[in-house]
Amino acid sequence: MKIASWNVNSIKARLETVMEVLKSIDCDVICLQEIKCETDGFPYLEIEDLGYSVEALGQKSYNGVAILSRLPIEDVQRGLPGNEDDEQARYIEATIGGDTPFRVASIYLPNGNPFPGEKFEYKLNWMTHLRARAKELLAWEMPVVLAGDYNVIPTDDDCWDPAVWADDALAQPESRAALRAIQNLGYTEAYDCLDGRSHQYTFWDYQKGAWQKDHGIRIDHLLLSPETADLASSVEIYKSARGLTKPSDHVPIIGTFEEG
DNA sequence: ATGGCTGTCTGTGACAGA
């Protein structure tokens, strides 16, 4: 079972690139973020032609998340439970059927800039709700994958130059602590667990030749419940997606899991 | 090079992104 997370920065503007990458990475489940279209506007037919079922939660212009799966998608939860007042489309969760069912969430965590400010408080509040949901899911005692663009640089070793990011919401101690607080419930981050090299990135800005200079940050993460961590065998950052024509500024992060 | 990117919209510049 291969499960990926990928912020595509508009599914419509990126459709050809997305389909090319989906064929290459050959995953069973792909969690998409920043689809930037309304739920009804998702290009369902094109993705279904690749063999995937699709469940999406979108809104006009911004944000938006989706789960693609070759296996049946069941019990879809749209929006982050306990955070029903949030009008932004940032969370969808569902059960992926099969011999070993997985509960999978596609998460687009708020950016939080500028720091400090209301948007940063919104980010921290959102992370508090995510932690509460993560705790609930542990009680399900099944494999859980919380996949997404967390918009958090976990440590200074996960960016090219900590000084550049020091005043940014993505690198604030509060943002990092809120991510660790979720992990401290009992979640394992797939990259930390299965690779762990420093200075490996999932995002490179479009500006200033960031990709060519490898000026990136690692902000896309796969959080695994203990049941999932036991099944995890490898992780890959699909870096070559950033070098394609008309790329997203993020690349997929892919986890491989044994099916017990 | 007082800049340098990309996407969205009842758009043609403002905003959001990170």
Side-chain angles (χ1 to χ4, degrees), chain A residues 7-252:
Chain A
N7 178 323
V8 292
N9 185 18
S10 173
I11 187 69
K12 287 182 175 175
R14 203 82 53 215
L15 187 55
E16 287 194 25
T17 306
V18 168
M19 293 201 295
E20 179 181 344
V21 168
L22 290 185
K23 288 176 193 169
S24 297
I25 63 179
D26 188 35
C27 285
D28 302 288
V29 179
I30 303 102
C31 296
L32 301 181
Q33 300 88 37
E34 276 208 276
I35 60 174
K36 288 188 171 179
C37 65
E38 293 180 284
T39 304
D40 292 342
F42 192 96
Y44 292 98
L45 296 180
E46 290 84 346
I47 300 300
E48 286 167 0
D49 278 347
L50 298 178
Y52 291 100
S53 299
V54 179
E55 294 291 343
L57 174 66
Q59 67 182 89
K60 190 184 281 189
S61 304
Y62 304 119
N63 310 317
V65 287
I67 297 175
L68 323 183
S69 174
R70 286 175 174 157
L71 294 160
I73 306 178
E74 299 159 1
D75 300 326
V76 179
Q77 166 67 41
R78 287 182 169 76
L80 181 54
N83 200 24
E84 282 79 10
D85 291 342
D86 188 8
E87 294 178 355
Q88 302 190 25
R90 297 182 174 277
Y91 189 92
I92 188 170
E93 178 192 298
T95 297
I96 305 302
D99 295 337
T100 306
F102 281 67
R103 190 69 178 172
V104 174
S106 181
I107 298 166
Y108 180 44
L109 214 142
N111 172 304
N113 279 304
F115 167 80
E118 281 181 19
K119 290 188 174 181
F120 188 68
E121 296 307 311
Y122 170 69
K123 175 180 195 161
L124 294 183
N125 181 56
W126 208 95
M127 295 184 83
T128 300
H129 286 291
L130 178 60
R131 182 180 183 276
R133 181 55 175 175
K135 188 173 184 178
E136 287 179 352
L137 290 172
L138 284 182
W140 293 26
E141 297 186 335
M142 67 183 288
V144 177
V145 179
L146 304 179
D149 174 1
Y150 279 74
N151 271 319
V152 177
I153 302 167
T155 75
D156 280 351
D157 288 336
D158 299 307
C159 64
W160 62 279
D161 184 356
V164 169
W165 296 92
D167 296 325
D168 194 283
L170 279 61
Q172 290 311 304
E174 296 96 323
S175 305
R176 290 172 170 175
L179 176 58
R180 285 199 308 275
I182 298 171
Q183 296 177 253
N184 290 341
L185 294 168
Y187 284 86
T188 302
E189 203 285 305
Y191 182 85
D192 291 338
C193 162
L194 295 165
D195 189 316
R197 285 172 297 156
S198 62
H199 301 289
Q200 296 297 309
Y201 312 125
T202 62
F203 169 92
W204 296 261
D205 201 290
Y206 290 122
Q207 300 190 59
K208 304 178 188 176
W211 165 245
Q212 289 76 9
K213 292 185 278 193
D214 198 28
H215 288 179
I217 53 179
R218 190 167 68 84
I219 55 175
D220 300 272
H221 308 299
L222 303 174
L223 264 55
L224 314 178
S225 72
E227 292 82 356
T228 321
D230 284 341
L231 300 172
S233 55
S234 66
V235 69
E236 178 190 7
I237 297 172
Y238 191 70
K239 195 172 171 179
S240 62
R242 188 63 179 80
L244 298 173
T245 303
K246 214 168 157 53
S248 171
D249 38 11
H250 296 248
V251 299

